[in-house]
Amino acid sequence: MSTENELSEMALEELDAACSLHFAEMRKITPWGDVYDAMAPSGREVEVERRYLWDNGIVGGAIVVEVEVRDPMLQTGAEARAVISAPSR
């Protein structure tokens, strides 16, 4: 697997995990983000950044979930993004 494919697949997996929170849980932590070190499937060390932001800066609206996976040594990375709308009542 190529470097870019590995990072892209990892970003999508991390995005799935980030989006697994219920909307009410996301709402409590938005805006928020963190960066942590992780191990890619190939065994190399990467940085993962996860962000929860209000869509278009409108507090209480949809939430943008962004994940970036970076390899600082190779200076490459991949991003994945989703917009989560509030559940209809």
Side-chain angles (χ1 to χ4, degrees):
M1 178 183 308
S2 74
T3 299
E4 291 79 23
N5 287 344
E6 179 181 50
L7 297 180
S8 294
E9 287 185 22
M10 194 171 175
L12 290 172
E13 289 173 7
E14 292 292 330
L15 181 65
D16 284 344
C19 291
S20 69
L21 293 173
H22 293 285
F23 187 84
E25 295 170 312
M26 283 186 205
R27 185 182 172 110
K28 289 178 185 176
I29 62 170
T30 302
W32 177 79
D34 71 334
V35 178
Y36 54 93
D37 294 328
M39 200 63 75
S42 65
R44 65 187 166 142
E45 192 171 313
V46 296
E47 294 176 343
V48 177
E49 184 171 356
R50 184 185 288 193
R51 298 177 290 270
Y52 295 89
L53 307 165
W54 294 114
D55 191 27
N56 295 318
I58 301 170
V59 175
I63 297 172
V64 177
V65 182
E66 298 176 332
V67 173
E68 185 177 355
V69 179
R70 300 180 291 261
D71 182 331
M73 295 296 291
L74 297 177
Q75 296 184 344
T76 60
E79 294 182 50
R81 182 179 192 266
V83 178
I84 310 297
S85 297
S88 53
R89 297 179 191 242

